[in-house]
């Protein structure tokens, strides 16, 4: 298996773990069959379950005016009842995911409309990049936290 395929597979495992955490806290996935650009309206207007989420949700344009699709958009959390975004970033081997943190931070600050949690996983990220990202929280009103997976689960147990 080449590096790109393995990266997608391992990133999927991180997202599946996050999804399991959401389900464990009573969240229900809605509208998985809808196109990305229709999910947000459906998610926000739905009354199917007070605690709900959708995956791969289009939320608008990035700082480069390209489409932004977030990993998870959650509705109904006590912390942010109108919406909470969860982004997952996995880097198992040396690579460039952590070099994309400034871009993600600027998008969260400028383009995301609701609070956001970023979950980082894998041993390929430089610790300095994670430390840098965490230091952005006070200056980014939409960035609630940057957590490794275990810390996210602990956070979710308290806030979801």
């Amino acid at each position: 298996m080449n590096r790109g395929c393995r990266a997608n597979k391992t990133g999927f495992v991180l997202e599946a773990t996050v999804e399991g955490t959401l389900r464990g806290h009573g969240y229900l996935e809605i509208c998985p069959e809808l196109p990305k650009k229709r999910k947000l309206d459906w998610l926000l207007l739905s009354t199917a379950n007070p605690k709900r989420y959708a995956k791969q949700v289009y939320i608008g344009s990035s700082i480069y005016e390209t489409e932004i699709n977030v990993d998870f958009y959650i509705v109904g959390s006590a912390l942010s009842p109108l919406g909470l975004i969860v982004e997952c970033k996995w880097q198992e081997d040396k690579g460039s995911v952590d070099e994309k943190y400034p871009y993600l931070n600027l998008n969260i600050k400028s383009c995301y409309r609701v609070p956001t949690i970023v979950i980082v996983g894998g041993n390929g990220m430089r610790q300095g990049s994670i430390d840098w990202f965490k230091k952005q929280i006070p200056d980014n009103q939409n960035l609630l936290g940057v957590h490794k997976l275990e810390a996210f689960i602990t956070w979710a147990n308290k806030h979801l």
Side-chain angles (χ1 to χ4, degrees):
M1 180 180 310
N2 69 36
R3 287 180 67 182
C5 289
R6 189 169 42 135
N8 286 340
K9 183 178 178 182
T10 54
F12 175 77
V13 171
L14 175 61
E15 290 177 14
T17 304
V18 170
E19 187 169 15
T21 302
L22 293 174
R23 289 180 180 271
H25 285 88
Y27 288 84
L28 174 70
E29 180 182 13
I30 66 166
C31 60
E33 70 288 343
L34 286 178
K36 294 174 183 180
K37 286 191 173 184
R38 294 191 51 216
K39 287 183 179 184
L40 185 57
D41 287 339
W42 188 261
L43 181 64
L44 294 175
L45 296 173
S46 175
T47 58
N49 191 36
K51 294 173 81 174
R52 55 197 183 275
Y53 70 94
K55 299 185 292 188
Q56 293 303 310
V57 178
Y58 170 79
I59 62 163
S61 295
S62 74
I63 58 173
Y64 295 158
E65 297 187 19
T66 58
E67 293 183 2
I68 299 175
N69 297 300
V70 297
D71 293 323
F72 294 92
Y73 197 109
I74 302 165
V75 173
S77 78
L79 181 65
S80 184
L82 299 178
L84 177 68
I85 292 172
V86 175
E87 292 279 32
C88 301
K89 300 298 175 197
W90 181 267
Q91 185 71 52
E92 191 167 306
D93 297 318
K94 290 182 181 181
S96 64
V97 164
D98 54 6
E99 294 172 0
K100 297 172 185 170
Y101 289 164
Y103 172 75
L104 178 58
N105 182 59
L106 281 173
N107 277 326
I108 291 169
K109 187 174 190 174
S110 302
C111 306
Y112 288 34
R113 296 183 198 124
V114 297
T116 302
I117 300 290
V118 178
I119 303 167
V120 297
N123 293 323
M125 293 180 209
R126 292 168 281 219
Q127 185 59 45
S129 69
I130 298 169
D131 295 340
W132 176 88
F133 210 172
K134 288 180 178 184
K135 288 177 186 174
Q136 305 315 300
I137 295 169
D139 295 325
N140 187 337
Q141 72 280 0
N142 289 331
L143 183 60
L144 290 183
V146 177
H147 303 291
K148 289 201 172 188
L149 182 58
E150 298 83 5
F152 168 72
I153 294 170
T154 300
W155 179 90
N157 288 340
K158 295 176 184 174
H159 300 289
L160 291 181

